[in-house]
Amino acid sequence: MRKSYLFLIALLVFFCSFSMHKFYVSIYQIKFVPEKKALHITSRIFMDDLNAVLSKKYNQKVRIGDKEESQKDIELMKKYILERFIIKVNGKPATINYLSNEKESNVLICYYKVVGISKIKEIEIENTSLFEIDETQQNIIQTTIYNKKQDLLLSAENVKGLLKN
């Protein structure tokens, strides 16, 4: 009986420690708004992951989402994301414009826009954000183009995807 009890406790500890494992994931939502000839983009990234990668990349303390956040921190974040999140529409590189951000709990929500898009036949998305801090990082891309929803799951082994309409 005592061995069974110890086994159950060990099993419980194992599953609890497994469930507490941190997930490395970010979400990017892209919506085509034909009447505005624009892509509206929203990203959701855990602030601790973002601060870790920015501090590592730029070799300085970065405090996104903190009371001590500076304009320089925001500029480093914009630079980093826009270097690693790349969109091509109909085979041509798109210019992504950063608009703003807001904080929700431990997540930074950023808003972007791509303008001057009259029609989409295909969209290629590459996203290598946060792969430097953990090889299990996954970047989920959710698109809505002409009311058609499509998703991509990008990882260190698969950094880009092509969606056709």
Side-chain angles (χ1 to χ4, degrees):
M1 177 75 170
R2 182 167 165 84
K3 283 185 180 183
S4 296
Y5 183 72
L6 289 175
F7 177 74
L8 285 174
I9 290 176
L11 195 60
L12 182 62
V13 168
F14 173 76
F15 282 116
C16 285
S17 65
F18 183 74
S19 68
M20 291 180 353
H21 179 267
K22 184 174 178 178
F23 293 97
Y24 292 92
V25 66
S26 65
I27 299 173
Y28 291 72
Q29 296 169 304
I30 302 170
K31 182 176 182 177
F32 180 51
V33 184
E35 58 275 6
K36 295 191 178 193
K37 297 183 178 183
L39 290 175
H40 291 184
I41 304 166
T42 304
S43 68
R44 288 175 170 75
I45 303 172
F46 286 106
M47 285 184 277
D48 59 341
D49 295 342
L50 189 55
N51 283 320
V53 77
L54 293 175
S55 294
K56 180 179 178 181
K57 167 131 177 88
Y58 298 109
N59 201 27
Q60 61 188 41
K61 182 75 172 163
V62 178
R63 294 179 171 93
I64 298 291
D66 192 297
K67 289 186 269 185
E68 299 168 22
E69 174 186 278
S70 69
Q71 187 58 39
K72 185 176 181 184
D73 294 336
I74 296 294
E75 292 303 318
L76 291 175
M77 182 263 312
K78 289 187 326 190
K79 178 182 177 186
Y80 175 83
I81 291 176
L82 294 176
E83 286 175 353
R84 283 163 177 72
F85 180 57
I86 300 163
I87 296 175
K88 290 182 181 177
V89 177
N90 304 326
K92 296 179 183 172
T95 301
I96 301 171
N97 300 299
Y98 171 85
L99 302 175
S100 65
N101 73 61
E102 64 181 307
K103 291 126 188 117
E104 183 177 282
S105 185
N106 60 344
V107 174
L108 184 71
I109 303 170
C110 296
Y111 301 97
Y112 312 86
K113 186 185 259 188
V114 176
V115 295
I117 300 173
S118 55
K119 187 174 165 184
I120 297 180
K121 293 179 185 174
E122 65 180 29
I123 184 168
E124 182 179 336
I125 302 161
E126 179 177 344
N127 191 339
T128 59
S129 300
L130 305 175
F131 291 154
E132 303 96 322
I133 59 167
D134 194 278
E135 61 191 29
T136 64
Q137 172 70 33
Q138 296 180 326
N139 295 325
I140 299 169
I141 312 295
Q142 301 173 323
T143 65
T144 305
I145 301 170
Y146 300 117
N147 295 317
K148 179 181 175 185
K149 295 182 184 228
Q150 296 184 64
D151 299 317
L152 292 170
L153 179 61
L154 303 180
S155 65
E157 296 83 35
N158 181 33
V159 299
K160 69 172 82 169
L162 180 68
L163 301 173
K164 296 185 178 196
N165 288 315

